[in-house]
Every structure is written in structure tokens, then in C-alpha cells.
Amino acid sequence: MAPLPKERLAPFVRPFTFVGLDYFGLVLVKRGRSNEKRWVALFTCLTIRAIHLKVVHSLSTESCVMAVRRFVARRGAPAEIFSDNGTNFVGTSRQIRKEIDQRNNILATTFTNENTRWTFNPPGAPHMCGVWERMVRSVKAAISTVMEVKNTPDDETPLTYVPIDPENREAITPNHFLLGSSSGVKQQPALPTNYRDGLRGNYKPTQHILDGMWRRWIKE
């Protein structure tokens, strides 16, 4: 087996610097009295395996473009996006390249990033999609488990929370890098009266904690 790509092992980069993108579905949702088709765009961080899901209303290039726009607005512009050779992904990459070439830097920065690369896996190499295909399977299994109604309304999303004790020895999850804790509800310490000293003082222990998580991630 060949070595893992460098994007899978890149330390000390923010989450979703290297992203794999795939679709799954279709999912039937209720709108009024009718059922409509939806698909889900799955963005996964290739380094920490975090997942970001976006609902798309069709398989068109335009829907894919809007999903990427919303993802970038929420998570920041990735350095590289990987996907298979789906028609909608090829069209999206072509449109991104065209906009960056023809429009000004403001639009390019808003839409993606001048340094963002969109890489397609070569045809006949499905093993190169395994990192996000496995995530697709896990997400589909989780959604099907918690969905009590087959066709849910368009604006409902199933959520679940599983506490782990003790907190200081819990397994490192993507949320530790994204939110600072596994659940994201851990309260941050209040700043002292002197904001300048407080910001300087809080930055150092925060950076120390983050470095410690990265050391554990690389070691374990």
C-alpha cells in the first residue's frame, strides 16, 4: 500500500485546510403536502476527519457552487479541495477558475481563495475516494438510525449528544480543534478588567492547549 497523502498528515493547520467533497442521497423531505428531493454535500477535513454537511436542492453545478460558497463562508477558504470526477464537481471547478480569471480579486476572495486548488481524482481509482466515502457511509448510518419519520420536514435536523467522563481523558475529536471541547458548550473564562493584559495572558495558555492536542494527535 502506498503512503498516505501529505494532506492526511499535515499538522498545525486549521481544520478544513484540506477538504474532501462528495454527495449522498437522495433524501425525501416534506414541503407542505408534497415530497421533494434533496441531496447532502459532505465536506470532510482530511486531517482531523471533521465533517460539514450542506443540503443541496439539485445535482446541478449551480447548487454545488452555492454549497461551496456557504461552506467557505462558515469554515474559511480551504487550501485544496479533492473530489471525484462527477459532472457537477467538474462544472463547479471550471466556473470557479473562470470567475477567478475574469473577475477581480474581491469576488475571488469571496467565492474561494486565489490559492485554493480543486483536485480531481483520476478515473479508475476509487480507492482515492475512500477517505470521504467512508464518512458518507457513517453519516448515512447515523442519520437513518435517529430519523424516526421517513420523510421529515425540510428544516429539521436530527441531533444527538453522548457525554464522556472524565472530560480530561476523553478521546480527541474533531470538535476539540473546531470548538475547543467535545461538545462545544464548555464556557470560556471571563476576561479580567485589564483587557490588554487579559488577551495577552489568555492567548498563551490557549496556544499551549492547542499545541498539546496536536502533539497527542500526531503521537496517537
Side-chain angles (χ1 to χ4, degrees), residues 179-180 185-192 195 198-199 201-203 205-206 209:
L179 304 175
V185 299
K186 187 176 181 180
Q187 296 296 323
Q188 300 297 324
L191 292 174
Y195 290 102
L199 289 173
N202 279 352
Y203 174 77
T206 301
I209 293 172

Side-chain angles (χ1 to χ4, degrees), residues 2-219:
L4 286 173
K6 65 181 186 301
E7 294 81 11
R8 293 284 307 281
L9 303 171
F12 302 103
V13 294
R14 65 173 178 79
F16 295 105
T17 297
F18 301 102
V19 173
L21 171 60
D22 200 6
Y23 275 23
F24 69 87
L26 57 93
V27 179
L28 292 177
V29 299
K30 292 178 60 178
R31 283 183 62 86
R33 296 184 178 181
S34 62
N35 293 329
E36 295 187 4
K37 298 178 180 179
R38 296 288 184 267
W39 289 263
V40 180
L42 183 146
F43 300 84
T44 181
C45 174
L46 299 182
T47 306
I48 67 169
R49 311 305 295 278
I51 291 175
H52 187 98
L53 302 177
K54 285 295 179 185
V55 176
V56 291
H57 288 210
S58 72
L59 295 177
S60 65
T61 297
E62 289 72 21
S63 291
C64 187
V65 166
M66 294 307 299
V68 174
R69 284 181 184 271
R70 294 192 295 270
F71 168 77
V72 170
R74 188 65 177 269
R75 300 296 184 185
E80 191 164 9
I81 300 176
F82 295 86
S83 69
D84 59 19
N85 274 284
T87 304
N88 51 339
F89 298 142
V90 175
T92 302
S93 177
R94 188 181 301 114
Q95 183 169 341
I96 292 173
R97 193 179 302 112
K98 183 178 180 180
E99 288 191 4
I100 291 177
D101 292 341
Q102 295 183 354
R103 306 288 178 87
N104 55 28
N105 291 331
I106 296 177
L107 178 59
T109 302
T110 301
F111 186 70
T112 173
N113 186 289
E114 291 178 315
N115 297 321
T116 297
R117 300 182 302 276
W118 194 305
T119 302
F120 295 107
N121 290 332
H127 63 281
M128 298 184 68
C129 308
V131 60
W132 50 84
E133 291 288 358
R134 187 62 184 86
M135 292 300 186
V136 166
R137 179 181 175 184
S138 298
V139 170
K140 290 173 68 175
I143 290 178
S144 63
T145 300
V146 299
M147 294 271 281
E148 296 181 357
V149 182
K150 184 177 181 181
N151 297 343
T152 58
D154 206 5
D155 56 353
E156 291 187 4
T157 304
L159 297 175
T160 183
Y161 168 68
V162 180
I164 303 177
D165 292 320
E167 183 181 359
N168 60 347
R169 291 309 304 163
E170 64 184 3
I172 292 180
T173 67
N175 268 354
H176 282 87
F177 298 91
L178 293 169
L179 304 175
S181 64
S182 62
S183 63
V185 299
K186 187 176 181 180
Q187 296 296 323
Q188 300 297 324
L191 292 174
T193 304
N194 190 330
Y195 290 102
R196 183 178 61 181
D197 294 340
L199 289 173
R200 185 185 299 113
N202 279 352
Y203 174 77
K204 292 179 180 179
T206 301
Q207 193 64 36
H208 176 73
I209 293 172
L210 185 60
D211 291 342
M213 286 195 298
W214 273 115
R215 283 193 295 269
R216 275 193 62 192
W217 178 266
I218 295 172
K219 180 180 178 181

